[in-house]
Amino acid sequence: MLRTVSTAALASTVRAAAPNDRINVGLIGTGGRCSYLARILKTMPEVQFTAMCDVYSDRVEALAFELEPTTAILGDYRRLLDRKDVDAVVVGAPNHWHTRITLDAVPAGKDVYVEKPVTHHLDEGDRLIQGVEASKRVVATGTQQRSWDHYILAKQLIDGGRLGRVTSVQTWWFQNYIPRAPQTQINQRDLDWKTWLGGAPDQPFTDLKYKHWRFFWDFGGGAFTDLMAHWIDAVQWILESPNPKTVSATGSTKVLTELQCPDTVSASIDYDKFNFTYYGTMVDSVEDGGIVFRGTSGVMQLTRDGFEVYREGVRVARPSERPEPEIIVRSTGDGTVSNLRNWLDCIHTRSLPNAHIRAGVECARSSHLANQAMRERRTIAL
């Protein structure tokens, strides 16, 4: 029987905040992603922005003018962490800053929402977990699938045996980084490039590195840490298996020669009970991204729009076709909204967030291992 379900009814309701529930939020690194998070937080009743920090003054001033003109504008995040009128911070700086800022924020008494990947190097993971857990602060990571209504429902169905034993998971993600129009140039006079580099090797400023830092090794990790990380986190969570056994990966640049990280990649990661594959390219975006779980009793195709479940053993007209789906679920929500809502609720209750720091480190670890296998051209056995 075909069942079509909307997940709108599953969405969490927004609680009305009492005056003493107010959460004073500071923003660190106010680029595109952090600005998006801030606009969502602005709709949450208990949030008030008290400070914003970025080494590019043009950008932080524009966001403050849009969201909270009276907020303090700073160039050094340590000054923001020193402020008594900041309860929690959102870290949207490039990847190479995530661990450092988080480990500076939690002993300063700040709760943290840090974008993924939470680490830039494998050796940062244990230190980050220890620092966060010792601090007792509420730290959530930007792997929003863990708070997204239909991903939660998908996990419940798989936990309940709907697919039987899952042995294979296929994932993909395509985006298009080919330049289509001239981009606005960065005003270097108002950018503190040396501070932006942080612990990265000293190097001259370029517009390309500043805007596309995710695809330069000193600052990001390419497609595996930027895109695959979301899917591998969802899979490790849904199938409750965070520890790879072997990791192999390949990658090369076919079109985007100006970027350092490959534009076309694939990975195969073996776990105790299933095999995970990922493939993607940064030169087209027709199909976007998704996950297919293959089990002994059925198949689930899961994307950010929803999911379909196909039952094993149903006859089809042609072997190359799937049967009619047994279940169709469509999502009308935004997992980022739900994830931020969960973080704020956990600040109120001092509970562990859905996207907690251990999950963030495990997700980043698997993604870093894929990069290592690709760059060293070998299979990593763990």
Side-chain angles (χ1 to χ4, degrees):
M1 180 178 66
L2 174 63
R3 291 188 291 160
T4 302
V5 181
S6 169
T7 56
L10 300 176
S12 60
T13 56
V14 176
R15 64 195 295 276
N20 59 352
D21 282 342
R22 182 72 63 190
I23 300 175
N24 295 321
V25 175
L27 306 176
I28 301 175
T30 55
R33 181 61 184 175
C34 188
S35 296
Y36 177 66
L37 299 176
R39 292 183 184 103
I40 293 172
L41 286 169
K42 181 70 174 177
T43 68
M44 305 293 185
E46 67 267 53
V47 169
Q48 178 174 322
F49 297 117
T50 50
M52 300 184 188
C53 173
D54 201 294
V55 296
Y56 187 25
S57 59
D58 278 7
R59 186 165 64 187
V60 67
E61 288 169 5
L63 186 63
F65 181 78
E66 174 191 345
L67 297 181
E68 192 65 61
T70 61
T71 192
I73 297 175
L74 307 167
D76 186 335
Y77 78 88
R78 293 168 296 185
R79 289 180 56 203
L80 184 148
L81 296 180
D82 287 339
R83 294 180 67 98
K84 302 301 182 185
D85 62 347
V86 174
D87 304 314
V89 296
V90 174
V91 181
N95 296 0
H96 69 297
W97 278 103
H98 289 178
T99 295
R100 177 176 173 181
I101 293 176
T102 301
L103 286 178
D104 284 344
V106 291
K110 315 304 182 189
D111 298 315
V112 180
Y113 188 98
V114 56
E115 267 302 333
K116 62 92 194 121
V118 296
T119 60
H120 186 47
H121 299 290
L122 279 168
D123 61 6
E124 294 175 323
D126 289 344
R127 183 161 50 93
L128 183 57
I129 289 173
Q130 291 167 6
V132 168
E133 292 186 348
S135 74
K136 307 300 183 184
R137 306 314 304 176
V138 175
V139 178
T141 72
T143 45
Q144 63 265 29
Q145 284 73 219
R146 289 174 178 255
S147 297
W148 212 325
D149 45 18
H150 68 287
Y151 285 86
I152 295 170
L153 180 57
K155 175 172 171 54
Q156 291 170 350
L157 289 172
I158 291 174
D159 286 348
R162 197 70 176 217
L163 304 184
R165 179 179 172 184
V166 175
T167 63
S168 176
V169 182
Q170 301 157 303
T171 68
W172 67 96
W173 207 324
F174 309 120
Q175 290 189 357
N176 195 330
Y177 270 47
I178 298 174
R180 303 295 179 185
Q183 294 190 351
T184 304
Q185 296 297 300
I186 301 301
N187 179 4
Q188 292 186 57
R189 181 185 60 191
D190 294 326
L191 171 66
D192 184 346
W193 174 247
K194 185 174 180 60
T195 298
W196 187 91
L197 287 173
D202 190 28
Q203 55 201 280
F205 167 85
T206 69
D207 258 42
L208 187 66
K209 287 181 180 179
Y210 181 74
K211 292 175 179 176
H212 294 295
W213 53 263
R214 289 175 176 83
F215 282 79
F216 289 88
W217 297 120
D218 287 338
F219 322 118
F224 287 143
T225 59
D226 187 41
L227 297 176
M228 186 186 78
H230 278 298
W231 293 163
I232 208 162
D233 176 68
V235 171
Q236 291 182 166
W237 162 58
I238 290 171
L239 297 182
E240 299 177 359
S241 185
N243 299 310
K245 292 175 59 182
T246 63
V247 181
S248 59
T250 61
S252 59
T253 294
K254 307 300 184 185
V255 176
L256 301 173
T257 55
E258 69 275 19
L259 302 180
Q260 192 176 41
C261 302
D263 64 24
T264 303
V265 298
S266 63
S268 179
I269 303 178
D270 196 39
Y271 294 81
D272 279 333
K273 295 182 179 179
F274 65 94
N275 177 263
F276 170 99
T277 59
Y278 173 86
Y279 56 98
T281 183
M282 310 306 296
V283 302
D284 85 271
S285 57
V286 172
E287 297 168 79
D288 196 49
I291 307 171
V292 172
F293 294 91
R294 296 188 178 276
T296 55
S297 301
V299 171
M300 175 187 290
Q301 179 160 313
L302 173 62
T303 71
R304 287 183 165 181
D305 295 326
F307 65 81
E308 300 88 38
V309 174
Y310 303 87
R311 187 159 53 90
E312 178 67 20
V314 177
R315 288 189 175 184
V316 293
R318 291 186 295 180
S320 61
E321 294 179 345
R322 286 179 179 167
E324 285 295 313
E326 180 185 27
I327 300 173
I328 300 176
V329 170
R330 292 290 170 255
S331 178
T332 57
D334 181 343
T336 300
V337 176
S338 303
N339 209 37
L340 287 168
R341 180 69 261 164
N342 175 255
W343 176 55
L344 296 176
D345 289 345
C346 289
I347 290 175
H348 291 303
T349 62
R350 311 314 296 171
S351 302
L352 188 70
N354 293 336
H356 52 84
I357 196 63
R358 281 187 177 267
V361 168
E362 289 164 352
C363 153
R365 177 174 180 262
S366 298
S367 304
H368 292 321
L369 287 169
N371 269 329
Q372 182 182 345
M374 176 183 68
R375 299 181 74 181
E376 296 178 2
R377 300 188 178 189
R378 68 183 180 93
T379 296
I380 297 173
L382 301 160

